Amino acid sequence: MNTVAANNLLSVPDLIITRTFDAPRELVWEAMTNPEQLMRWWAPKGCTTPFCTVDLRKEGKFHYCMRLPEGRDIWGMGVYREIVAPSLLVYTDSFADAQGNPVPPAHYGMSASHPAETRVTLTLEEHEGKTKLTLRHAIPVSVEERKGTEQGWSEMLERLAALLQIT
């Protein structure tokens, strides 16, 4: 892994994860854009999503709460920048409060170098009834925070895969 020694930030900030789901693209899209479905998988293992709203239009917002196992809530919000259903979703991601106002990452214990806003690009490609998801998260953070972000995404995508198997 390439790192910048001076501040331990990754020199190539994009986290890229690919995953193939045994489900049609339209089902995967629905699970990623419908708040009732997002609430079933949009949190790492052991966490829940007790709140989620989605305004699926350019410059529309989605606002969510992840509840940690010990009961602490972490709020976040995204602003949709590009939507091409059912193949492309681009949004900004930031920490928020319960009212949907941005808060600094330090509010939730992130480092001072953690960016206030990051960009997430999700592409969905269908092939023979399956869907390949490519997630690109532009998140220039410390190696430690990057590992946590990657683990969180991986666990969330595992939950999404399980949801798609029962729908």
Side-chain angles (χ1 to χ4, degrees):
M1 211 176 269
N2 296 330
T3 59
V4 176
N7 59 12
N8 204 27
L9 294 184
L10 295 175
S11 61
V12 180
D14 290 359
L15 170 64
I16 299 171
I17 299 173
T18 58
R19 173 82 192 238
T20 299
F21 298 101
D22 191 10
R25 184 167 62 170
E26 288 74 17
L27 282 181
V28 179
W29 178 265
E30 178 71 12
M32 299 183 103
T33 58
N34 178 307
E36 287 135 11
Q37 294 215 24
L38 281 163
M39 289 173 69
R40 295 172 66 190
W41 69 271
W42 188 260
K45 184 178 178 180
C47 301
T48 60
T49 308
F51 176 88
C52 182
T53 61
V54 173
D55 181 7
L56 189 62
R57 62 185 172 86
K58 189 171 182 178
E59 303 306 317
K61 293 182 181 177
F62 92 99
H63 182 216
Y64 59 90
C65 174
M66 287 184 185
R67 183 161 291 150
L68 303 180
E70 70 273 7
R72 180 174 176 226
D73 289 343
I74 296 180
W75 292 84
M77 63 174 273
V79 177
Y80 294 109
R81 300 299 185 199
E82 190 175 349
I83 302 167
V84 181
S87 60
L88 177 69
L89 198 58
V90 180
Y91 63 91
T92 60
D93 188 38
S94 59
F95 291 102
D97 62 19
Q99 292 72 44
N101 303 304
V103 298
H107 181 81
Y108 292 112
M110 300 295 131
S111 70
S113 65
H114 196 289
E117 181 178 280
T118 62
R119 185 177 190 90
V120 177
T121 302
L122 302 166
T123 57
L124 301 173
E125 300 172 74
E126 189 167 43
H127 182 67
E128 297 179 1
K130 295 185 180 188
T131 303
K132 178 183 175 186
L133 164 75
T134 302
L135 178 148
R136 179 180 294 269
H137 193 164
I139 184 163
V141 294
S142 69
V143 172
E144 181 179 316
E145 286 178 328
R146 183 181 179 100
K147 285 179 183 175
T149 300
E150 185 170 9
Q151 179 181 346
W153 273 118
S154 295
E155 291 176 4
M156 288 168 45
L157 294 175
E158 283 294 322
R159 293 181 72 185
L160 174 56
L163 172 67
L164 291 168
Q165 292 302 310
I166 60 173
T167 53

